[in-house]
Amino acid sequence: MKLTPVTPFTRRRFLATAAGAALAPNIIPSSALGLGKRPAPSERIVLGVIGFGTIAHETVRGFLEDERVQIIAVADPAKDLPNYGYGGEKRGGREVGASIVNEKYGNKDCKTFVDFREMLEKLDIDAINVSTPDHWHAYAAIYGAGKGKHIYGQKPLAVTIGQGRAMAEAVAKAGVTWQTGSQQRSDQYFRIAAEFIRNGRLGKLEGITVGLPGGHTDWNQHAAQKDPAPVPEGLDYNLWEGPAPHRDYRPAILPLNWRHNYDYSGGMI
């Protein structure tokens, strides 16, 4: 993929004209002008969300609580579908994500897109939050880097080592910032445990045992949903498949059982 040149990071001018400045006090809350706790719009990082499913319910809410960030759009091939979350207790899709954003900001202007590439072409965005199924991670990151976007990408970083190297090279060439979302590994208790070991507080380390959970697949509970079926309304399944090999839509694969299929992910590893 040919990467486009990256323009320097510039803050936005919130009031572009004198007329806008004259009208602003009547329509813009003081916090938006930087008079309250929240930074002015020109000082916020404008974020676009790519994929709104299980983990996005957590990460997007985290960004919404950060006064330095302004989410303006959500892109997802699904409009509004049930059974997201490891217990199937949530809904996912672009409309669900946008409604959460609008509710937080108290407005109705969070834009939605089926294809994230259209979002990046049409909107002036500083950074992207990639929380798609795993087989889209590398492509979304490389595409975003090519557009000069800073990237927060969910784990796993990629499905293959080759994809990971391509992502690293694209980010380095574009000169953008990348962070992988390994939330639990960033928890304070992991850091404390690491410090105990590094400083010899536990004595000489003789061995390490690594445990791996059994996963969350409920494939075997959906015998009636393993066969090909019509694609549900509101889902662009061809786009959801993206770079993965084509297979007929099966309800049991979505929204989380794709993680145990090597076409889309690497299982719990």
Side-chain angles (χ1 to χ4, degrees):
M1 176 181 294
K2 183 178 180 180
L3 300 180
T4 56
V6 179
T7 56
F9 181 86
T10 58
R11 296 294 188 179
R12 284 158 174 70
R13 294 182 59 195
F14 179 56
L15 302 177
T17 65
L23 292 173
N26 295 322
I27 60 175
I28 303 298
S30 61
S31 60
L33 295 174
L35 303 179
K37 178 182 177 182
R38 194 171 196 210
S42 59
E43 295 301 318
R44 298 177 205 156
I45 295 173
V46 179
L47 182 72
V49 175
I50 301 177
F52 193 90
T54 297
I55 193 61
H57 276 275
E58 306 301 327
T59 56
V60 168
R61 291 182 191 277
F63 281 120
L64 288 174
E65 294 300 324
D66 194 322
E67 300 287 347
R68 301 165 298 177
V69 177
Q70 182 80 21
I71 299 175
I72 66 169
V74 178
D76 194 299
K79 182 179 180 180
D80 180 352
L81 295 178
N83 300 321
Y84 283 77
Y86 289 111
E89 73 283 5
K90 301 175 181 177
R91 301 189 71 86
R94 58 187 179 274
E95 295 292 344
V96 177
S99 67
I100 290 174
V101 173
N102 285 332
E103 180 180 3
K104 173 62 179 180
Y105 294 148
N107 57 29
K108 298 181 180 180
D109 59 5
C110 182
K111 295 178 172 58
T112 59
F113 295 87
V114 177
D115 193 325
F116 73 88
R117 293 167 293 193
E118 182 182 7
M119 177 180 73
L120 296 186
E121 293 294 336
K122 290 186 175 181
L123 301 182
D124 189 9
I125 289 174
D126 299 316
I128 54 177
N129 169 34
V130 180
S131 51
T132 63
D134 302 349
H135 65 288
W136 265 107
H137 286 186
Y139 188 91
I142 293 171
Y143 191 92
K147 295 296 181 180
K149 311 305 179 184
H150 303 285
I151 307 161
Y152 178 85
Q154 269 302 319
K155 62 178 186 297
L157 182 134
V159 175
T160 68
I161 294 174
Q163 287 180 358
R165 288 309 316 154
M167 293 163 69
E169 291 165 4
V171 167
K173 184 174 182 179
V176 296
T177 301
W178 163 274
Q179 182 180 0
T180 298
S182 54
Q183 293 85 358
Q184 190 184 41
R185 305 321 187 263
S186 301
D187 186 273
Q188 61 177 324
Y189 298 110
F190 279 77
R191 178 60 183 267
I192 292 172
E195 291 299 324
F196 265 89
I197 294 171
R198 290 169 178 168
N199 289 282
R201 299 294 181 88
L202 301 182
K204 182 180 179 181
L205 204 62
E206 300 291 344
I208 299 173
T209 300
V210 178
L212 187 68
H216 302 278
T217 180
D218 57 359
W219 176 260
N220 290 327
Q221 300 175 26
H222 296 280
Q225 296 181 309
K226 294 180 181 180
D227 297 327
V231 177
E233 183 178 355
L235 173 64
D236 186 332
Y237 181 61
N238 288 331
L239 181 59
W240 185 92
E241 283 189 304
H246 171 71
R247 67 176 64 239
D248 292 333
Y249 171 78
R250 290 168 168 80
I253 290 179
L254 298 176
L256 272 178
N257 284 326
W258 51 262
R259 176 149 287 155
H260 301 269
N261 185 302
Y262 287 141
D263 285 343
Y264 311 122
S265 181
M268 290 305 291
I269 300 296

